[in-house]
């Protein structure tokens, strides 16, 4: 009737190949998003010049750690739209207006902060007292458009719905 602390206070690892404590610590730090404030013990390999297998195993485990690291997340101080909602197709009338209207650019006599506010307004990105968070959303949106296969096909002239990349212009 006594509680079993296995898995809570004691890590049970029955596998024949044990995890490297350093890699395990790095995995836990990445998962819990704790900062590297605590010092960390790093294992060394004795006679490293004769232990290529251990070195290759270490490199493979670190590569695996980086591949499975959780995506970075940002907490905004005020509500911001998610990127998926910003990537939705605009109404046809607005698309037509964008083709004929001149968008704000560097030649427009606006201060940089006002230019950012104008571009964010066009893209439905709210701007609060600080531009930093709005710019983060703007650049994240740009990055998502650049990585989106649908828009890459449009830019490369592959068959698609005929749009020209929208407000981002040629990427």
């Amino acid at each position: 009737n006594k509680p079993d602390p296995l898995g809570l206070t004691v890590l049970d690892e029955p596998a024949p190949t044990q995890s490297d404590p350093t890699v395990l610590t790095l995995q836990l730090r990445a998962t819990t998003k704790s900062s590297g404030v605590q010092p960390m013990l790093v294992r060394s390999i004795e006679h490293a010049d004769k232990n290529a297998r251990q070195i290759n195993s270490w490199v493979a485990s670190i590569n695996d750690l980086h591949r499975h690291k959780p995506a970075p997340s940002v907490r905004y101080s005020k509500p911001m739209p998610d990127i998926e909602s910003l990537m939705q197709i605009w109404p046809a009338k607005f698309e037509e207006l964008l083709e004929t209207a001149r968008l704000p650019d560097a030649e427009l006599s606006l201060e940089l902060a006002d230019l950012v506010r104008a571009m964010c307004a066009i893209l439905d990105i709210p701007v609060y007292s600080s531009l930093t968070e709005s710019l983060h959303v703007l650049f994240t949106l740009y990055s998502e458009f650049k990585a989106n296969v649908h828009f890459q096909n449009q830019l490369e002239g592959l068959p698609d719905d005929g749009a020209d990349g929208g407000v981002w212009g040629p990427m």
Side-chain angles (χ1 to χ4, degrees):
N1 269 348
K2 213 163 99 177
D4 185 10
L6 190 62
L8 297 174
T9 59
V10 177
L11 186 59
D12 180 29
E13 227 181 37
T17 306
Q18 298 293 306
S19 296
D20 183 321
T22 306
V23 175
L24 187 59
T25 301
L26 289 170
Q27 287 173 336
L28 291 171
R29 282 185 179 191
T31 303
T32 60
K33 298 188 183 203
S34 64
S35 65
V37 176
Q38 300 293 332
M40 196 169 97
L41 179 65
V42 178
R43 181 175 71 98
S44 65
I45 300 173
E46 292 195 27
H47 307 292
D49 56 331
K50 297 175 185 160
N51 284 322
R53 187 178 61 76
Q54 280 187 318
I55 294 172
N56 290 337
S57 172
W58 166 261
V59 170
S61 62
I62 295 298
N63 284 338
D64 189 50
L65 171 70
H66 288 293
R67 248 191 323 277
H68 295 98
K69 192 183 276 188
S73 63
V74 175
R75 289 190 176 173
Y76 299 112
S77 61
K78 304 267 184 168
M80 288 289 187
D82 70 353
I83 299 302
E84 288 299 317
S85 68
L86 292 173
M87 290 182 72
Q88 297 303 309
I89 297 174
W90 285 330
K93 283 191 171 198
F94 189 69
E95 288 277 348
E96 290 171 17
L97 176 67
L98 284 176
E99 289 179 18
T100 59
R102 179 175 177 228
L103 293 174
D105 59 14
E107 294 178 12
L108 194 61
S109 62
L110 283 175
E111 293 291 322
L112 180 60
D114 294 328
L115 182 62
V116 169
R117 284 185 182 89
M119 289 307 297
C120 286
I122 291 170
L123 297 170
D124 286 335
I125 299 172
V127 177
Y128 299 105
S129 57
S130 170
L131 291 175
T132 306
E133 293 179 356
S134 300
L135 279 169
H136 183 269
V137 174
L138 177 70
F139 289 127
T140 303
L141 179 62
Y142 177 74
S143 176
E144 287 294 319
F145 269 104
K146 291 275 291 178
N148 188 294
V149 174
H150 170 77
F151 293 101
Q152 290 301 318
N153 288 343
Q154 288 180 2
L155 294 173
E156 293 169 6
L158 298 175
D160 212 76
D161 63 26
D164 66 352
V167 71
W168 299 113
M171 287 191 249

